[in-house]
Amino acid sequence: MTKLQVRAFLYQLGCFAILFILGRFLVAMYTGLTGLWIPMTAFIAATLISPKFQAVKTKDGEKLFMKWIFIKGIREIG
């Protein structure tokens, strides 16, 4: 794995973890779900909402891109 691929993986993991923990807290506090349903619901929500990062080799070199459902199109990350 290249340096940018590792960076993309870490960004994606970090965003997922933050959204999962936040989602788990919100599901536990504001819904009537119990047991295994709390983390399962938070997992599905975090998977759908979290941004997707990818390292792509272009003719200018390797670049990092992000796609998110709340942003139109694909963005290049410095």
Side-chain angles (χ1 to χ4, degrees):
M1 290 180 74
T2 65
K3 188 176 181 179
L4 278 180
Q5 287 175 332
V6 171
R7 195 168 156 194
F9 174 74
L10 291 176
Y11 281 163
Q12 195 154 336
L13 181 65
C15 289
F16 173 80
I18 290 168
L19 291 171
F20 176 76
I21 292 168
L22 180 66
R24 187 177 168 125
F25 174 75
L26 292 174
V27 168
M29 292 296 292
Y30 298 109
T31 66
L33 298 176
T34 59
L36 189 60
W37 291 106
I38 294 171
M40 192 182 297
T41 304
F43 171 79
I44 293 170
T47 301
L48 294 174
I49 293 174
S50 65
K52 311 300 183 247
F53 295 92
Q54 187 173 12
V56 177
K57 291 182 182 178
T58 63
K59 59 184 172 185
D60 297 331
E62 196 171 29
K63 294 184 178 183
L64 186 62
F65 292 97
M66 177 188 79
K67 183 178 180 183
W68 199 18
I69 63 170
F70 300 117
I71 298 175
K72 188 175 181 181
I74 298 173
R75 294 236 174 134
E76 181 181 343
I77 308 294

